[in-house]
Amino acid sequence: MAAWTDAVRRIQAKIEFDWSKSAVWVDESQYLLSASGKQSMLLPHQLLGGNVEQPAWGMQLALRNVTSRFNPLHSSGALYDNIKRGKFYAIPVRFSVGLWNGSSYDYTRIFTGYVKTLRVIESTKTATIVCDDNTLPFIQHRASDNVETNQKTDTYLSVLKMIAGVGTTDFDSGLNTVGYCWIDSERVWNEMNEIAHSEFGRVGFDRNGTCFFRNAESWEIDSVHTTSQHTFSTSRIADVALPFDWKSTFNEVEVPYAPRREIGTIQVYKLPRSFILLPGETRTITARYKKAVVTTSTPVANTDYVIIDEGGNDLSGSVTISATYYGQRASIEITNDHATKAVNVVRFNIFGNALDGAQTSGEPRTVTDADIGTSITKTYRLSPNAYIQSKAQSDFLAEAIIANTKVARQMFRVKGANAIPTLEPGHRVTIPTLDAGNFAAFLTNIDWSFDGGVYIASYDAIEADNWYPNSGDYHEITDLFSADKKAFI
Amino acid sequence: MATTLDGVTVADPLVPTDKEQVLTGAYRETLNGTTILDYTNIKWKFLVSWGLLTASQYATLIAKLQLTSSFVFSPPDEATTYTVLSKQDAISVSMIESGGASYYYVNAELVEVV
């Protein structure tokens, strides 16, 4: 039985494209010269530092292009209609490696995503294709939506994923409930990241293209984090380097939060200047509110809006108003239905049950047992995150983060390893050293390549011990949680 | 067994045919000194030399060697056949005149496709 850990491995790669974007996969492996990729994961405290997003996993392909098959300018090429004039952008792609079992190849997917760029190199008759994971189609998708109240993290993630059109998902149950959630012409993927980070979780896409959300406790209960998924052996790696992560070591943390409260019905929008609509004319107003609203009051003629003719006579009955209300804006379409008269829209106000809440600095959480000692103070201040809305949540995050960052963690870089296709960032692995034994660590980065029959990778990992405060010594509250769940107290 | 290229019998090589293994892959040394191997395929490569070919024999041979698509190669003295590509940048031809006739020497490299 062949295994990826074998000393001798016969390997093939399979690269497939859905050129027509209709789930018709075409195997282009015969043109593949080499492939490489990167799978990275930022740790929770790194994400919270700047509200950054998990980096997209990438892949780069070198393809033989003797027949100009992959040339978007080659009008008689077999793929021309699919790749001409930038049509190659966002073509689905997937990549697998297969291990020979003695009679056939057993394939394992290591990348699912989309084509980002295609570059033809005439002199070498090759084409280079750069791909990103499944974030690519909606990484720049902005949207607006209503204010949703009392949303568990995974519930609101499901709202956002519907807006974005994300396909297959695997969401953990959210541990936190956010009082007020909305999106106002913001990037959906950024919002999905922010709300996940707000409870010390993370979102991303795995090697099979599934969008996942992992909550904070996943580190404590998911088998990929609690059980070593692979033990690297000195007989299968070229080297292991042991850097130290002082940069992420702190002895004080501060988590700002923004409590929200409903302040009742107020005017949130006022038309800045009147305008005229000719007979049959339609105009769309984007009304940006000064505050988000939980509910919008439907504007009433001659109260909230006034529409008159040139003589000052009411013509509000001669217009059609079609409005879509979001949490912090409305899109209002006004059509002058009058056959002969122009109308003057002189007032348009919108009222709603508004939200208020300013950013509040969290209380600094200081520890005296950090590895950097007490003679210096390193404060880690989180960037504002709209989904951190309560002091309790701020306290929880502060506790989790300081527990994570008070330890100066040993890092590992395993170089020249026999690549294992099932490994992903976040997986617990066992790292060997020549003199100091084995260490448990979480993978944070994988740089893999398949070239000339060799499937090799470098792995970055961070020490797993003491990942959480009181790790392994929680008080179990069995009447509230199932027996294998832990609670921070 | 006669030597055939693409189903056509050609002259037997003048000298013994070199048959070498080609590895698509690489051996690596690991941290503890173990040698490991990843590979996609191990194929055969044939270095074949013909000599004293008549013009007619030469014409038959070179027409096949100049094929850029794969063909079946049956080496001399071997029952096994191989699907090969003739490496176009490895073909060399020399000619001598003797007794008013031309004779050709041809070197070629045939690489198994799969």
Side-chain angles (χ1 to χ4, degrees):
Chain A
M1 185 70 178
W4 287 105
T5 51
D6 287 349
V8 177
R9 311 186 298 179
R10 186 177 181 186
I11 303 166
Q12 264 195 357
K14 182 158 68 177
I15 179 68
E16 298 167 287
F17 294 89
D18 176 13
W19 295 115
S20 58
K21 299 182 182 176
S22 57
V24 178
W25 292 95
V26 180
D27 188 336
E28 304 282 9
S29 305
Q30 61 178 310
Y31 303 103
L32 182 69
L33 296 172
S34 65
S36 60
K38 187 177 188 67
Q39 303 173 336
S40 287
M41 178 193 77
L42 292 173
L43 296 167
H45 66 270
Q46 294 169 324
L47 289 161
L48 286 158
N51 278 335
V52 293
E53 298 164 7
Q54 287 286 359
W57 294 0
M59 179 174 72
Q60 182 161 320
L61 305 166
L63 297 166
R64 194 162 54 88
N65 193 34
V66 175
T67 59
S68 290
R69 179 176 178 79
F70 304 106
N71 188 341
L73 299 178
H74 184 55
S75 59
S76 57
L79 302 173
Y80 179 69
D81 284 342
N82 300 121
I83 63 176
K84 64 182 177 183
R85 304 190 71 81
K87 280 192 171 181
F88 55 77
Y89 186 75
I91 282 176
V93 57
R94 60 192 188 190
F95 185 84
S96 306
V97 285
L99 182 66
W100 181 251
N101 63 18
S103 57
S104 61
Y105 287 93
D106 296 324
Y107 283 96
T108 303
R109 182 92 60 84
I110 57 174
F111 180 84
T112 305
Y114 293 85
V115 172
K116 188 162 74 173
T117 65
L118 188 162
R119 187 161 59 105
V120 169
I121 304 162
E122 297 279 20
S123 62
T124 57
K125 291 289 183 187
T126 57
T128 301
I129 293 181
V130 176
C131 310
D132 268 0
D133 69 14
N134 275 358
T135 55
L136 183 136
F138 65 95
I139 193 84
Q140 291 169 316
H141 182 163
R142 290 179 180 272
S144 301
D145 199 16
N146 299 321
V147 172
E148 305 280 352
T149 57
N150 298 321
Q151 296 281 298
K152 282 176 68 180
T153 304
D154 59 310
T155 310
Y156 194 59
L157 280 171
S158 294
V159 171
L160 293 172
K161 74 121 179 176
M162 291 299 289
I163 293 171
V166 175
T168 313
T169 55
D170 175 17
F171 292 163
D172 283 352
S173 182
L175 300 179
N176 185 54
T177 298
V178 182
Y180 301 95
C181 307
W182 72 94
I183 181 168
D184 180 43
S185 189
E186 289 155 310
R187 289 176 49 241
V188 184
W189 183 236
N190 187 262
E191 296 300 304
M192 291 177 76
N193 273 267
E194 269 202 36
I195 192 168
H197 305 163
S198 74
E199 70 157 65
F200 214 58
R202 63 192 174 101
V203 289
F205 285 88
D206 66 15
R207 59 194 171 84
N208 291 307
T210 298
C211 182
F212 64 82
F213 161 61
R214 296 290 168 258
N215 63 22
E217 73 170 359
S218 70
W219 294 101
E220 287 288 281
I221 61 174
D222 281 358
S223 60
V224 295
H225 301 312
T226 58
T227 307
S228 180
Q229 302 297 297
H230 178 65
T231 298
F232 289 99
S233 162
T234 55
S235 65
R236 299 290 183 273
I237 64 175
D239 199 3
V240 56
L242 310 169
F244 227 73
D245 184 23
W246 286 107
K247 200 168 62 176
S248 299
T249 305
F250 295 87
N251 53 8
E252 186 172 87
V253 65
E254 195 179 313
V255 181
Y257 60 101
R260 311 284 184 188
R261 65 187 178 93
E262 295 175 32
I263 56 173
T265 300
I266 64 167
Q267 184 191 71
V268 290
Y269 174 76
K270 178 183 178 186
L271 184 68
R273 67 187 73 86
S274 63
F275 61 89
I276 292 171
L277 286 176
L278 299 175
E281 186 181 0
T282 298
R283 182 176 296 189
T284 301
I285 306 166
T286 298
R288 294 182 175 83
Y289 304 166
K290 57 186 178 186
K291 289 183 184 295
V293 299
V294 179
T295 51
T296 305
S297 308
T298 304
V300 175
N302 298 317
T303 302
D304 300 319
Y305 63 89
V306 174
I307 296 173
I308 54 176
D309 66 9
E310 58 188 7
N313 302 304
D314 174 31
L315 278 184
S316 59
S318 298
V319 298
T320 303
I321 298 176
S322 172
T324 306
Y325 301 105
Y326 302 110
Q328 206 163 351
R329 66 177 56 208
S331 178
I332 300 160
E333 186 183 271
I334 306 173
T335 301
N336 179 2
D337 297 325
H338 201 284
T340 56
K341 285 187 175 178
V343 298
N344 194 354
V345 181
V346 294
R347 182 200 300 171
F348 206 110
N349 298 329
I350 297 176
F351 288 79
N353 182 12
L355 287 174
D356 200 6
Q359 197 74 26
T360 304
S361 296
E363 291 173 12
R365 182 68 53 95
T366 307
V367 292
T368 56
D369 59 345
D371 286 348
I372 59 172
T374 53
S375 60
I376 60 170
T377 299
K378 278 184 77 183
T379 303
Y380 187 83
R381 188 172 200 277
L382 268 67
S383 299
N385 180 317
Y387 298 98
I388 305 174
Q389 297 179 0
S390 70
K391 184 173 185 308
Q393 192 182 355
S394 165
D395 288 347
F396 159 74
L397 281 169
E399 193 65 44
I401 291 167
I402 201 64
N404 243 224
T405 58
K406 72 180 183 182
V407 180
R409 293 190 183 279
Q410 183 66 57
M411 310 288 283
F412 305 91
R413 183 162 177 80
V414 177
K415 302 176 185 173
N418 266 6
I420 307 294
T422 51
L423 290 179
E424 291 182 304
H427 283 185
R428 190 185 192 95
V429 294
T430 307
I431 310 269
T433 63
L434 288 179
D435 303 320
N438 290 345
F439 289 86
F442 294 123
L443 291 176
T444 57
N445 180 66
I446 302 172
D447 292 305
W448 61 267
S449 68
F450 180 79
D451 191 2
V454 179
Y455 177 40
I456 197 170
S458 290
Y459 294 91
D460 292 299
I462 186 166
E463 186 181 14
D465 281 353
N466 300 312
W467 192 246
Y468 276 125
N470 310 311
S471 185
D473 192 25
Y474 293 109
H475 296 266
E476 294 187 9
I477 308 172
T478 52
D479 59 340
L480 289 179
F481 300 104
S482 58
D484 63 341
K485 305 287 176 66
K486 318 287 185 185
F488 294 97
I489 62 168
Chain B
M1 294 285 286
T3 305
T4 66
L5 295 178
D6 195 26
V8 172
T9 300
V10 297
D12 282 335
L14 183 64
V15 296
T17 297
D18 284 337
K19 182 178 174 183
E20 299 174 358
Q21 281 204 339
V22 179
L23 173 71
T24 307
Y27 290 91
R28 290 177 286 130
E29 299 297 317
T30 64
L31 188 57
N32 74 351
T34 304
T35 300
I36 59 176
L37 167 67
D38 274 2
Y39 73 102
T40 295
N41 218 339
I42 301 172
K43 302 181 291 188
W44 288 106
K45 177 174 76 175
F46 299 88
L47 304 172
V48 198
S49 297
W50 287 267
L52 294 173
L53 299 174
T54 64
S56 169
Q57 289 173 316
Y58 170 74
T60 302
L61 177 66
I62 200 70
K64 294 302 177 187
L65 291 178
Q66 288 182 324
L67 290 174
T68 53
S69 55
S70 63
F71 56 83
V72 175
F73 169 52
S74 175
D77 305 321
E78 193 173 336
T80 308
T81 60
Y82 302 87
T83 301
V84 297
L85 279 172
S86 172
K87 291 186 72 173
Q88 297 301 299
D89 55 354
I91 298 171
S92 65
V93 177
S94 55
M95 185 185 72
I96 60 168
E97 294 277 340
S98 177
S102 299
Y103 295 94
Y104 296 83
Y105 290 80
V106 177
N107 296 308
E109 191 175 317
L110 307 175
V111 182
E112 207 177 1
V113 174
V114 180

